[in-house]
Amino acid sequence: MISVFSIQNKLETNLMKNIFEKITLWALAIVMVIFGLNKFFGFIPVEPPIDPIAQSFMGAMFTSYLFIVVALVEIVGGILLTIPKTKLFGWLILLPVIFNIVAFHFAHDFIGNGFWLLPTLLFVIITYFQFGIIKKSYKLWINIR
């Protein structure tokens, strides 16, 4: 026999999970939009990396179209994360950006300022919460092909 307390406990657990998911989504969205806007307006100073190869990469990125593209992708992806129907699309748009942030810091500037860990961690948490939707969308996409 199912007791009232077990049902209430399950409802409270789901509510806490939903609240934590929304906080994580909004936190990543805010971080991505702020750092995307920072690329245009420069209101947060960014120190150059110590590694000369990383400095060359950043210099090449700052002087090319790639800087603007990454900024726009961060802003658009962050905004799409906040809209429930476009949450998965925002996740897909931010996936290569987060991957490149992690790859850059692992390869050239591991310690850096350490702030790169925040969007990475938030993205991993969002992936955990959205895994069912991601899996379902992937299966649907495979069946279409």
Side-chain angles (χ1 to χ4, degrees):
M1 182 171 173
I2 299 175
S3 70
V4 175
F5 294 114
S6 65
I7 293 172
Q8 182 181 6
N9 192 15
K10 190 169 188 166
L11 289 174
E12 287 175 358
T13 304
N14 286 340
L15 179 64
M16 291 296 288
K17 182 180 170 188
N18 289 340
I19 290 171
F20 184 67
E21 179 184 359
K22 286 185 190 327
I23 290 171
T24 308
L25 271 168
W26 276 92
L28 181 63
I30 290 168
V31 166
M32 297 310 287
V33 169
I34 286 174
F35 278 94
L37 290 172
N38 186 50
K39 288 178 178 52
F40 289 116
F41 301 114
F43 48 86
I44 301 173
V46 179
E47 293 186 24
I50 298 169
D51 185 29
I53 296 172
Q55 288 178 356
S56 298
F57 175 77
M58 294 301 283
M61 193 173 116
F62 281 123
T63 58
S64 70
Y65 71 94
L66 190 59
F67 192 66
I68 295 170
V69 170
V70 170
L72 290 175
V73 167
E74 287 176 356
I75 294 168
V76 170
I79 291 170
L80 290 175
L81 278 179
T82 62
I83 303 169
K85 290 192 180 220
T86 61
K87 193 171 19 177
L88 179 62
F89 190 55
W91 181 87
L92 284 170
I93 287 176
L94 290 176
L95 179 64
V97 173
I98 298 291
F99 175 80
N100 281 304
I101 290 170
V102 171
F104 173 78
H105 284 285
F106 270 133
H108 299 292
D109 193 30
F110 186 72
I111 296 173
N113 59 8
F115 191 78
W116 65 276
L117 292 169
L118 177 65
T120 304
L121 180 64
L122 292 172
F123 191 80
V124 168
I125 293 170
I126 290 168
T127 303
Y128 170 76
F129 282 122
Q130 299 299 316
F131 188 73
I133 296 169
I134 294 165
K135 188 175 171 183
K136 191 185 309 180
S137 300
Y138 178 73
K139 285 182 180 179
L140 180 66
W141 182 72
I142 293 296
N143 288 338
I144 290 173
R145 295 181 77 211

